[in-house]
Amino acid sequence: MYRDTVVSGLFYPSDKNKIISFIESNKTIETAQEAKMIIVPHAGYVFSGATAVKTISRIKLPKNIILLGPNHTGTGGRIAVYPGGKWSCPLGDVPVNENMVEKLIDKGFESDQPAHVKEHSLEVQLPILKYFRDDLNIVPIAFKGLGFDDCRNAGKVLKDLVDETDSMIVVSSDFNHFEDIETTNEKDFDAINRILDLDSKGLYDTVLSKNISMCGIIPTVVALESLEKKENLKASLVEHTTSAETSGDASQVVGYAGIIIK
């Protein structure tokens, strides 16, 4: 099974050397550290790629990445795990860890290729992840339409998988969409502060009650629910930006954030 690129040349360069140049111009010089999970944005690299690079470059990536993102297309199941094979990437194909996929399927996750065929949120992370960990394996999962209890149950399944394997969770999510910059900044930090508090229920309720169009709310809540001993963990914001910094249009912006939990 082979998942070809969908947004190569659109959201990020199709040329390997251009990707490498972009990453090397934005990566941090800090010593990479281990983390439990990170949240990175998935807009075009011109808008949010620098934030993703700055975040991922701070992390010592394990070989196996459980890659969670929203299902923008609506195709496929609610918890859709790509079954196996490889994903195309300009820096080299990335294998799916089929043993880890099987463990998730045994626990009730859905083996679902169609949900991933046109979905961009996971694909845009691969070149950056591949740059920093050449022998990368992935477990791609797209989410849609889960209530909080479903998120909690999915988080427990992922916790068991992380405990059994050399892996970490990478969540792909943008924050508020297409409101003015003042509104977006306010809404984004309403959500970001709940994440920094590791408050999954507070995040879920805040996003719903304040109408925050954070596309990756479900995978973020699932990931937070996979964490244990939260009192020993620390979340930090790498940076928050908006599309206005690139477009110059402050009237209709999208918010982006890089967050590390370790």
Side-chain angles (χ1 to χ4, degrees), residues 49-124:
T51 300
V53 172
K54 290 173 187 176
T55 305
I56 293 171
S57 64
R58 285 171 164 80
I59 299 306
K60 183 178 180 181
L61 295 174
K63 183 174 183 178
N64 299 300
I65 297 297
I66 304 171
L67 190 53
L68 312 185
N71 183 335
H72 290 93
T73 68
T75 303
R78 296 192 307 155
I79 306 177
V81 186
Y82 195 84
K86 296 181 178 180
W87 281 40
S88 176
C89 172
L91 273 63
D93 291 347
V94 179
V96 174
N97 188 316
E98 296 178 8
N99 289 331
M100 293 176 66
V101 167
E102 288 177 6
K103 291 178 184 294
L104 293 177
I105 302 306
D106 289 343
K107 294 290 183 66
F109 283 27
E110 303 169 60
S111 175
D112 190 329
Q113 182 187 13
H116 295 272
V117 171
K118 299 294 183 181
E119 176 56 51
H120 69 276
S121 64
L122 304 185
E123 178 187 326
V124 296

Coordinates of all heavy atoms in Angstrom, one line a residue, residues 49-124:
G49 N 5.1 27.0 8.6 CA 6.1 26.0 8.6 C 7.3 26.3 9.5 O 7.8 25.4 10.2
A50 N 7.6 27.6 9.7 CA 8.7 28.0 10.6 C 8.3 27.6 12.0 O 9.2 27.1 12.8 CB 8.9 29.5 10.5
T51 N 7.1 27.8 12.4 CA 6.6 27.4 13.8 C 6.8 25.9 14.0 O 7.2 25.4 15.0 CB 5.2 27.8 14.0 OG1 5.1 29.2 13.9 CG2 4.7 27.4 15.4
A52 N 6.4 25.1 13.0 CA 6.5 23.7 13.1 C 8.0 23.2 13.2 O 8.3 22.4 14.0 CB 5.9 23.0 11.8
V53 N 8.8 23.8 12.4 CA 10.3 23.5 12.4 C 10.9 23.9 13.8 O 11.6 23.1 14.4 CB 11.0 24.2 11.3 CG1 12.5 24.0 11.4 CG2 10.6 23.7 9.9
K54 N 10.6 25.1 14.3 CA 11.1 25.5 15.5 C 10.7 24.6 16.7 O 11.5 24.3 17.6 CB 10.6 26.9 15.9 CG 11.2 28.0 15.0 CD 10.6 29.4 15.3 CE 11.1 30.4 14.3 NZ 10.4 31.7 14.5
T55 N 9.5 24.0 16.6 CA 9.0 23.1 17.6 C 9.6 21.8 17.5 O 10.2 21.2 18.4 CB 7.5 23.0 17.5 OG1 6.9 24.3 17.6 CG2 6.9 22.2 18.6
I56 N 9.6 21.2 16.3 CA 10.1 19.8 16.1 C 11.6 19.8 16.3 O 12.1 18.8 16.9 CB 9.7 19.3 14.7 CG1 8.2 19.1 14.6 CG2 10.4 18.0 14.4 CD1 7.7 18.8 13.2
S57 N 12.3 20.8 16.0 CA 13.8 20.8 16.1 C 14.2 20.8 17.5 O 15.4 20.5 17.8 CB 14.4 22.0 15.3 OG 14.0 23.2 15.9
R58 N 13.4 21.2 18.5 CA 13.7 21.2 19.9 C 13.6 19.8 20.5 O 13.9 19.6 21.7 CB 12.8 22.1 20.6 CG 13.1 23.6 20.5 CD 12.0 24.5 21.1 NE 12.5 25.9 21.3 CZ 12.5 26.8 20.3 NH1 12.1 26.5 19.1 NH2 12.9 28.0 20.6
I59 N 13.0 18.8 19.7 CA 12.7 17.5 20.3 C 13.6 16.4 19.8 O 13.9 16.4 18.6 CB 11.2 17.2 19.9 CG1 10.3 18.2 20.5 CG2 10.8 15.8 20.4 CD1 10.4 18.4 22.0
K60 N 14.0 15.5 20.7 CA 14.7 14.3 20.3 C 13.6 13.3 19.9 O 13.0 12.7 20.7 CB 15.5 13.8 21.5 CG 16.4 12.6 21.2 CD 17.2 12.2 22.4 CE 18.0 11.0 22.0 NZ 18.8 10.5 23.2
L61 N 13.5 13.1 18.6 CA 12.4 12.3 18.1 C 12.7 10.8 18.3 O 13.8 10.4 17.9 CB 12.1 12.6 16.6 CG 11.6 14.0 16.3 CD1 11.5 14.1 14.7 CD2 10.2 14.2 16.9
P62 N 11.8 10.0 18.8 CA 12.0 8.6 18.7 C 11.7 8.1 17.3 O 11.3 8.8 16.4 CB 10.9 8.1 19.7 CG 9.8 9.1 19.6 CD 10.5 10.4 19.4
K63 N 12.0 6.8 17.1 CA 11.8 6.2 15.8 C 10.4 6.2 15.3 O 10.1 6.4 14.2 CB 12.4 4.8 15.7 CG 12.3 4.2 14.3 CD 13.1 2.8 14.3 CE 13.1 2.2 12.9 NZ 13.8 1.0 12.8
N64 N 9.5 5.9 16.3 CA 8.1 5.8 16.0 C 7.3 7.0 16.4 O 7.3 7.4 17.5 CB 7.5 4.6 16.6 CG 8.2 3.3 16.2 OD1 8.2 3.0 15.0 ND2 8.8 2.6 17.1
I65 N 6.6 7.6 15.4 CA 5.7 8.8 15.7 C 4.3 8.4 15.4 O 3.9 8.0 14.4 CB 6.1 10.0 14.8 CG1 7.6 10.4 15.0 CG2 5.1 11.1 15.0 CD1 7.8 11.0 16.4
I66 N 3.5 8.6 16.5 CA 2.0 8.4 16.4 C 1.5 9.8 16.0 O 1.5 10.8 16.7 CB 1.4 8.0 17.7 CG1 2.1 6.7 18.1 CG2 -0.1 7.8 17.5 CD1 1.7 6.2 19.5
L67 N 1.1 9.9 14.7 CA 0.8 11.2 14.1 C -0.7 11.4 14.0 O -1.4 10.7 13.3 CB 1.4 11.2 12.7 CG 1.4 12.5 11.9 CD1 2.1 13.6 12.7 CD2 2.2 12.3 10.6
L68 N -1.2 12.3 14.8 CA -2.7 12.6 15.0 C -3.1 13.9 14.3 O -2.4 14.9 14.4 CB -3.1 12.7 16.4 CG -2.6 11.6 17.4 CD1 -3.2 11.9 18.8 CD2 -2.9 10.2 16.9
G69 N -4.2 13.9 13.5 CA -4.6 15.1 12.9 C -6.1 15.0 12.7 O -6.8 14.0 12.8
P70 N -6.7 16.2 12.3 CA -8.1 16.2 12.0 C -8.4 15.7 10.6 O -7.6 15.7 9.7 CB -8.4 17.7 12.1 CG -7.1 18.4 11.7 CD -6.1 17.5 12.2
N71 N -9.6 15.2 10.4 CA -10.1 14.8 9.1 C -10.9 16.0 8.5 O -12.0 16.2 8.8 CB -11.0 13.6 9.3 CG -11.5 13.0 8.0 OD1 -11.6 13.7 7.0 ND2 -11.8 11.7 8.0
H72 N -10.2 16.7 7.7 CA -10.8 17.9 7.0 C -11.8 17.5 5.9 O -12.8 18.2 5.6 CB -9.8 18.8 6.4 CG -8.9 19.5 7.4 ND1 -7.7 19.0 7.8 CD2 -9.1 20.7 8.0 CE1 -7.2 19.9 8.6 NE2 -8.0 20.9 8.8
T73 N -11.6 16.3 5.3 CA -12.4 16.0 4.1 C -13.7 15.3 4.5 O -14.7 15.3 3.7 CB -11.6 15.0 3.2 OG1 -11.5 13.7 3.9 CG2 -10.3 15.5 2.9
G74 N -13.8 14.8 5.7 CA -15.1 14.1 6.1 C -15.2 12.7 5.6 O -16.1 11.9 6.0
T75 N -14.2 12.2 4.8 CA -14.2 10.9 4.3 C -13.7 9.9 5.3 O -12.8 10.2 6.1 CB -13.4 10.8 3.0 OG1 -13.8 11.7 2.1 CG2 -13.4 9.4 2.4
G76 N -14.3 8.7 5.4 CA -13.8 7.7 6.3 C -14.4 7.7 7.7 O -15.3 8.4 8.0
G77 N -13.8 6.9 8.5 CA -14.3 6.7 9.9 C -13.9 7.8 10.8 O -13.2 8.7 10.5
R78 N -14.4 7.7 12.1 CA -14.2 8.7 13.1 C -12.8 8.6 13.6 O -12.2 9.6 14.0 CB -15.2 8.6 14.2 CG -16.6 8.8 13.7 CD -17.6 9.0 15.0 NE -17.5 7.9 15.9 CZ -17.7 7.9 17.2 NH1 -18.1 9.1 17.7 NH2 -17.6 6.9 18.0
I79 N -12.2 7.4 13.8 CA -10.9 7.2 14.2 C -10.2 6.3 13.2 O -10.3 5.1 13.2 CB -10.8 6.5 15.6 CG1 -11.6 7.3 16.6 CG2 -9.4 6.4 16.1 CD1 -11.7 6.6 18.0
A80 N -9.6 7.0 12.2 CA -9.1 6.3 11.0 C -7.6 6.1 11.0 O -6.9 7.1 10.9 CB -9.5 7.1 9.8
V81 N -7.2 4.9 11.1 CA -5.8 4.5 11.1 C -5.3 4.1 9.7 O -6.0 3.1 9.2 CB -5.4 3.4 12.1 CG1 -3.9 3.2 12.3 CG2 -6.0 3.8 13.5
Y82 N -4.3 4.7 9.2 CA -3.8 4.2 7.9 C -3.2 2.8 8.0 O -2.4 2.6 8.9 CB -2.8 5.2 7.3 CG -2.5 4.9 5.8 CD1 -3.3 5.5 4.9 CD2 -1.5 4.1 5.4 CE1 -3.1 5.3 3.5 CE2 -1.2 3.9 4.1 CZ -2.0 4.5 3.1 OH -1.8 4.3 1.8
P83 N -3.7 1.8 7.2 CA -3.4 0.4 7.5 C -1.9 0.0 7.4 O -1.5 -0.9 8.1 CB -4.2 -0.3 6.4 CG -5.2 0.7 5.9 CD -4.6 2.0 6.0
G84 N -1.1 0.5 6.5 CA 0.2 0.0 6.3 C 0.9 0.5 5.1 O 0.4 1.4 4.4
G85 N 2.0 0.0 4.8 CA 2.8 0.4 3.6 C 3.7 1.6 3.9 O 4.3 1.7 4.9
K86 N 3.7 2.5 2.9 CA 4.6 3.6 3.0 C 3.9 4.9 2.5 O 3.0 4.8 1.7 CB 5.9 3.4 2.1 CG 6.8 2.3 2.6 CD 8.0 2.2 1.7 CE 8.9 1.1 2.2 NZ 10.1 0.9 1.4
W87 N 4.3 6.0 3.1 CA 3.9 7.4 2.6 C 5.0 8.0 1.8 O 6.1 8.1 2.3 CB 3.5 8.2 3.8 CG 2.1 7.9 4.4 CD1 1.6 6.7 4.5 CD2 1.2 8.9 4.8 NE1 0.3 6.8 5.1 CE2 0.1 8.1 5.3 CE3 1.1 10.3 4.9 CZ2 -1.1 8.7 5.8 CZ3 0.0 10.9 5.4 CH2 -1.1 10.1 5.9
S88 N 4.6 8.6 0.7 CA 5.6 9.3 -0.2 C 6.0 10.6 0.5 O 5.2 11.3 1.1 CB 5.0 9.6 -1.5 OG 5.9 10.4 -2.3
C89 N 7.3 11.0 0.4 CA 7.8 12.2 1.0 C 9.0 12.6 0.1 O 9.8 11.8 -0.3 CB 8.2 12.0 2.4 SG 9.0 13.4 3.2
P90 N 9.1 13.9 -0.2 CA 10.3 14.3 -1.0 C 11.6 14.0 -0.4 O 12.6 13.9 -1.1 CB 10.1 15.9 -1.1 CG 8.6 16.1 -0.9 CD 8.2 15.0 0.0
L91 N 11.7 13.8 0.9 CA 13.0 13.5 1.5 C 13.2 12.0 1.7 O 14.2 11.5 2.2 CB 13.1 14.1 2.9 CG 13.6 15.5 3.0 CD1 12.8 16.5 2.2 CD2 13.9 16.0 4.4
G92 N 12.2 11.2 1.1 CA 12.3 9.7 1.2 C 11.0 9.1 1.7 O 10.4 9.8 2.6
D93 N 10.6 8.0 1.3 CA 9.4 7.4 1.7 C 9.5 7.1 3.2 O 10.5 6.8 3.8 CB 9.2 6.0 1.0 CG 8.8 6.2 -0.5 OD1 8.5 7.4 -0.9 OD2 8.9 5.3 -1.2
V94 N 8.3 7.2 3.9 CA 8.2 7.0 5.3 C 7.3 5.7 5.6 O 6.1 5.7 5.2 CB 7.6 8.2 6.0 CG1 7.5 7.9 7.5 CG2 8.4 9.4 5.7
P95 N 7.8 4.7 6.2 CA 7.0 3.5 6.4 C 6.0 3.7 7.5 O 6.2 4.4 8.5 CB 8.1 2.4 6.8 CG 9.4 3.0 6.6 CD 9.2 4.5 6.6
V96 N 4.9 3.0 7.4 CA 3.9 2.9 8.5 C 4.3 1.7 9.4 O 4.6 0.6 8.9 CB 2.5 2.7 7.9 CG1 1.5 2.4 9.0 CG2 2.1 3.9 7.1
N97 N 4.3 1.9 10.7 CA 4.6 0.8 11.6 C 3.4 -0.1 11.7 O 2.4 0.2 12.5 CB 5.0 1.3 13.0 CG 5.5 0.3 13.9 OD1 4.9 -0.8 14.0 ND2 6.6 0.5 14.6
E98 N 3.3 -1.2 11.0 CA 2.2 -2.0 10.9 C 1.9 -2.8 12.1 O 0.7 -3.1 12.5 CB 2.3 -2.9 9.7 CG 2.3 -2.2 8.3 CD 2.5 -3.0 7.1 OE1 2.4 -4.3 7.3 OE2 2.7 -2.5 6.0
N99 N 2.9 -3.1 12.9 CA 2.7 -3.8 14.2 C 1.9 -2.9 15.2 O 1.0 -3.3 15.9 CB 4.0 -4.2 14.8 CG 4.7 -5.3 14.1 OD1 4.0 -6.2 13.4 ND2 6.0 -5.4 14.1
M100 N 2.3 -1.6 15.2 CA 1.6 -0.7 16.1 C 0.2 -0.5 15.6 O -0.8 -0.3 16.4 CB 2.4 0.6 16.1 CG 3.7 0.5 16.9 SD 4.7 2.1 16.9 CE 3.7 3.1 17.9
V101 N 0.0 -0.4 14.2 CA -1.4 -0.3 13.7 C -2.2 -1.4 14.1 O -3.4 -1.3 14.5 CB -1.3 -0.2 12.2 CG1 -2.7 -0.3 11.5 CG2 -0.7 1.2 11.7
E102 N -1.7 -2.6 14.0 CA -2.5 -3.8 14.4 C -2.9 -3.8 15.9 O -4.0 -4.2 16.2 CB -1.6 -5.1 14.2 CG -1.5 -5.4 12.7 CD -0.6 -6.6 12.5 OE1 -0.2 -7.3 13.5 OE2 -0.3 -6.9 11.3
K103 N -2.0 -3.3 16.7 CA -2.4 -3.1 18.2 C -3.6 -2.2 18.3 O -4.5 -2.4 19.1 CB -1.2 -2.6 19.0 CG -0.1 -3.6 19.1 CD 1.1 -3.0 19.9 CE 2.3 -3.9 19.9 NZ 2.0 -5.1 20.7
L104 N -3.6 -1.1 17.5 CA -4.7 -0.1 17.6 C -6.0 -0.7 17.1 O -7.1 -0.5 17.6 CB -4.4 1.1 16.9 CG -3.3 2.0 17.5 CD1 -3.0 3.2 16.6 CD2 -3.6 2.5 18.9
I105 N -5.9 -1.5 16.0 CA -7.1 -2.1 15.4 C -7.7 -3.1 16.4 O -8.9 -3.2 16.5 CB -6.7 -2.8 14.1 CG1 -6.1 -1.8 13.1 CG2 -8.0 -3.4 13.4 CD1 -7.0 -0.6 12.8
D106 N -6.8 -3.8 17.0 CA -7.3 -4.8 18.0 C -8.0 -4.1 19.2 O -8.9 -4.8 19.8 CB -6.1 -5.6 18.6 CG -5.5 -6.6 17.6 OD1 -6.2 -6.9 16.6 OD2 -4.4 -7.0 17.8
K107 N -7.7 -2.9 19.4 CA -8.4 -2.1 20.5 C -9.6 -1.3 20.0 O -10.1 -0.5 20.8 CB -7.4 -1.2 21.2 CG -6.2 -1.9 21.9 CD -6.7 -2.6 23.2 CE -5.5 -3.3 23.9 NZ -4.6 -2.3 24.5
G108 N -10.0 -1.5 18.8 CA -11.2 -0.8 18.3 C -11.0 0.3 17.4 O -12.0 0.9 16.9
F109 N -9.8 0.8 17.1 CA -9.6 1.8 16.1 C -9.9 1.2 14.7 O -9.8 0.0 14.5 CB -8.2 2.3 16.1 CG -7.9 3.3 17.3 CD1 -8.6 3.2 18.5 CD2 -6.9 4.2 17.2 CE1 -8.3 4.1 19.5 CE2 -6.6 5.1 18.2 CZ -7.3 5.0 19.4
E110 N -10.2 2.1 13.7 CA -10.6 1.6 12.4 C -9.4 1.6 11.4 O -8.8 2.6 11.3 CB -11.7 2.5 11.9 CG -12.9 2.6 12.8 CD -13.9 3.7 12.4 OE1 -14.4 3.6 11.2 OE2 -14.1 4.6 13.2
S111 N -9.2 0.5 10.7 CA -8.3 0.5 9.6 C -9.0 1.2 8.4 O -10.0 0.7 7.9 CB -8.0 -1.0 9.2 OG -7.2 -1.0 8.1
D112 N -8.4 2.3 8.0 CA -9.2 3.2 7.1 C -8.2 4.0 6.2 O -7.6 4.9 6.6 CB -10.0 4.1 7.9 CG -11.1 4.9 7.1 OD1 -10.8 5.2 5.9 OD2 -12.1 5.3 7.6
Q113 N -8.1 3.5 5.0 CA -7.3 4.2 4.0 C -8.0 5.5 3.4 O -7.4 6.5 3.2 CB -6.9 3.3 2.9 CG -6.0 4.0 1.8 CD -5.7 3.1 0.6 OE1 -6.4 2.0 0.5 NE2 -4.7 3.4 -0.2
P114 N -9.3 5.4 3.1 CA -9.9 6.6 2.4 C -9.8 7.9 3.2 O -9.8 8.9 2.5 CB -11.4 6.1 2.2 CG -11.3 4.6 2.2 CD -10.2 4.2 3.1
A115 N -9.9 7.8 4.5 CA -9.8 9.1 5.3 C -8.5 9.8 5.0 O -8.4 11.0 5.3 CB -9.9 8.7 6.8
H116 N -7.5 9.1 4.5 CA -6.1 9.8 4.4 C -5.8 10.1 3.0 O -4.8 10.8 2.8 CB -5.1 8.8 4.9 CG -5.2 8.5 6.4 ND1 -4.6 9.3 7.4 CD2 -5.9 7.6 7.1 CE1 -4.8 8.9 8.6 NE2 -5.6 7.8 8.4
V117 N -6.6 9.7 2.0 CA -6.2 9.9 0.6 C -6.0 11.3 0.2 O -5.0 11.7 -0.5 CB -7.2 9.2 -0.3 CG1 -6.9 9.5 -1.8 CG2 -7.2 7.7 -0.1
K118 N -6.9 12.2 0.7 CA -6.8 13.6 0.3 C -6.5 14.5 1.5 O -6.5 15.8 1.4 CB -8.1 14.1 -0.3 CG -8.5 13.4 -1.6 CD -7.5 13.7 -2.7 CE -7.9 13.1 -4.0 NZ -6.9 13.4 -5.1
E119 N -6.3 14.0 2.7 CA -6.0 14.7 3.9 C -4.6 15.3 4.0 O -3.7 14.6 3.8 CB -6.3 13.9 5.1 CG -6.1 14.5 6.5 CD -6.9 15.8 6.6 OE1 -8.1 15.8 6.4 OE2 -6.2 16.8 6.9
H120 N -4.5 16.6 4.2 CA -3.2 17.3 4.2 C -2.5 17.4 5.6 O -1.3 17.6 5.7 CB -3.3 18.6 3.6 CG -4.1 19.6 4.4 ND1 -5.4 19.7 4.4 CD2 -3.6 20.6 5.3 CE1 -5.8 20.7 5.2 NE2 -4.8 21.2 5.8
S121 N -3.3 17.3 6.6 CA -2.8 17.7 8.0 C -1.6 16.9 8.4 O -0.8 17.4 9.2 CB -3.9 17.7 9.0 OG -4.4 16.4 9.2
L122 N -1.6 15.6 8.1 CA -0.5 14.7 8.5 C 0.7 14.8 7.5 O 1.8 14.8 7.9 CB -1.0 13.3 8.7 CG -2.1 13.1 9.6 CD1 -2.4 11.6 9.8 CD2 -1.9 13.8 11.0
E123 N 0.3 14.9 6.2 CA 1.4 14.9 5.2 C 2.3 16.0 5.3 O 3.6 15.8 5.1 CB 0.7 14.9 3.8 CG 1.7 15.0 2.6 CD 1.1 15.3 1.3 OE1 -0.1 14.8 1.1 OE2 1.7 15.9 0.5
V124 N 1.9 17.2 5.7 CA 2.8 18.4 5.7 C 3.8 18.2 6.8 O 4.9 18.9 6.8 CB 2.0 19.7 5.9 CG1 1.1 19.9 4.7 CG2 1.2 19.7 7.2

